[in-house]
Amino acid sequence: MLTICHGGCIGNFSVLPKTAYSNGRPFSKPASFMLKHLGVRLPRVQNLNKEIEAVDDEELEFDDELDGPYKRFRESGEEKDYDKDPEVADILGSCLDDPDKARSKMEERLRKKRNRILQTKTGSGLPMKVTFNKFDYSNSFIWFEFYNPLLQKDVSLICDMIRSWHIIGRLGGCNSLNMQLSQSSLDKRPSYDAIQGANVEPATFYNIGDLEIQDNLARIWVDIGTSEPLLLDVLLNGLTQISSDFVGIKQVVLGGSEFENWKEGLTAEDEGFSVHKI
């Protein structure tokens, strides 16, 4: 027996038969179908379990598709549930009722965690000076003068930058004879001619030495091989950014066998000398 209250709520419809008859012929319809035709609105909660199961199935399928570091990250349990941050929940909870209060809370949060959100530049506001001194692409030193002696983290940053520069150059990535995209018109759809790219003369970075440091000075020997100015542009662009944001570089000199206060016979670490593999 079906009981329907005045507000449209449903009493007991479990006794509703699964099979009804129309024109003497049986047809099978679910109870929700019959209730709908009786003018009864079913609460949406009825389908909630099915929706949750569907979402769970999608997540399982997504997890199965993960591979490599992404899958290991999920399995390691290192991911954080940022939706359950009580501080954020408190801010969001009051944003509709009292926007000014929510804004003040957000500003206070930013002030407290400013050091974790914003990073102050530690480089130099002065431009890095660049000079050439009889630079030979196949056999030259590149000299660096920093404003201060380098810390270990500064040395690691400089080495990583030079190492990346050498790898890109050794793989032929800095070839000014094949710059199809940078020289194409911005008004047209980009296109790349693979045959043209394969037939240009290669520009390969031949060899590089170790980074030697004496106090606030450093040098590195390079054998670029081909006369490729683009390689030098890439290097100087990277050094300019490092000087501005991280480690102040007073000047860079390309070429020359001597440089100001550099001491050829200095090899003691306690006197500020060190060698770093590139």
Side-chain angles (χ1 to χ4, degrees):
M1 186 132 193
L2 177 65
T3 303
I4 304 177
C5 66
H6 178 69
C9 58
I10 303 170
N12 180 17
F13 58 87
S14 60
V15 296
L16 193 66
K18 295 183 178 179
T19 304
Y21 292 83
S22 176
N23 296 330
R25 291 178 299 176
F27 68 98
S28 177
K29 292 291 183 180
S32 59
F33 176 86
M34 303 184 69
L35 291 174
K36 179 180 179 181
H37 283 271
L38 289 174
V40 180
R41 291 187 178 180
L42 293 178
R44 190 176 179 274
V45 181
Q46 262 187 288
N47 299 324
L48 186 59
N49 291 335
K50 293 183 179 180
E51 294 179 3
I52 294 176
E53 292 175 0
V55 172
D56 292 341
D57 292 340
E58 291 178 0
E59 290 182 353
L60 290 175
E61 292 176 1
F62 176 74
D63 289 342
D64 293 338
E65 294 174 358
L66 290 178
D67 192 12
Y70 301 101
K71 186 173 183 179
R72 291 195 297 271
F73 176 74
R74 290 290 296 268
E75 292 175 351
S76 64
E78 295 179 0
E79 60 178 344
K80 299 179 181 180
D81 189 354
Y82 293 98
D83 293 337
K84 295 183 179 179
D85 188 330
E87 189 174 357
V88 174
D90 180 52
I91 294 174
L92 295 178
S94 59
C95 66
L96 295 178
D97 298 333
D98 192 347
D100 294 334
K101 182 179 180 181
R103 188 187 326 175
S104 62
K105 286 184 178 180
M106 181 60 70
E107 292 174 352
E108 182 181 359
R109 176 184 171 91
L110 291 175
R111 281 194 297 269
K112 289 181 179 179
K113 300 186 177 182
R114 181 181 181 87
N115 294 334
R116 296 174 58 184
I117 299 174
L118 302 176
Q119 295 184 358
T120 305
K121 289 186 177 183
T122 56
S124 172
L126 300 176
M128 179 184 71
K129 183 181 179 181
V130 178
T131 56
F132 288 82
N133 182 16
K134 300 178 181 178
F135 180 75
D136 182 1
Y137 279 89
S138 60
N139 181 18
S140 284
F141 280 108
I142 299 178
W143 304 86
F144 308 88
E145 182 181 5
F146 302 91
Y147 285 101
N148 300 297
L150 296 177
L151 303 176
Q152 183 56 46
K153 64 182 183 67
D154 302 331
V155 174
S156 299
L157 178 62
I158 297 294
C159 288
D160 289 343
M161 186 269 164
I162 295 177
R163 189 177 297 113
S164 301
W165 172 59
H166 174 242
I167 292 174
I168 293 295
R170 193 170 184 84
L171 294 175
C174 300
N175 192 340
S176 60
L177 298 179
N178 187 33
M179 301 180 65
Q180 300 181 42
L181 299 179
S182 62
Q183 294 177 352
S184 62
S185 175
L186 298 177
D187 299 332
K188 298 181 181 179
R189 182 177 181 179
S191 62
Y192 187 84
D193 188 339
I195 297 178
Q196 177 184 341
N199 291 330
V200 297
E201 182 180 351
T204 303
F205 199 137
Y206 285 0
N207 203 357
I208 193 170
D210 298 331
L211 180 67
E212 302 175 80
I213 298 177
Q214 289 185 11
D215 197 25
N216 68 321
L217 303 178
R219 73 177 183 181
I220 190 167
W221 174 83
V222 296
D223 177 9
I224 296 178
T226 57
S227 300
E228 181 51 79
L230 182 58
L231 266 168
L232 300 182
D233 280 331
V234 172
L235 172 66
L236 295 175
N237 285 339
L239 292 174
T240 298
Q241 197 67 34
I242 287 179
S243 177
S244 171
D245 294 353
F246 303 103
V247 186
I249 304 175
K250 186 175 182 180
Q251 64 173 324
V252 175
V253 178
L254 295 95
S257 57
E258 298 179 351
F259 183 75
E260 297 185 0
N261 297 326
W262 185 270
K263 301 176 182 179
E264 285 294 341
L266 184 63
T267 57
E269 292 186 3
D270 56 353
E271 295 182 4
F273 178 80
S274 61
V275 179
H276 304 273
K277 185 72 175 178
I278 299 297

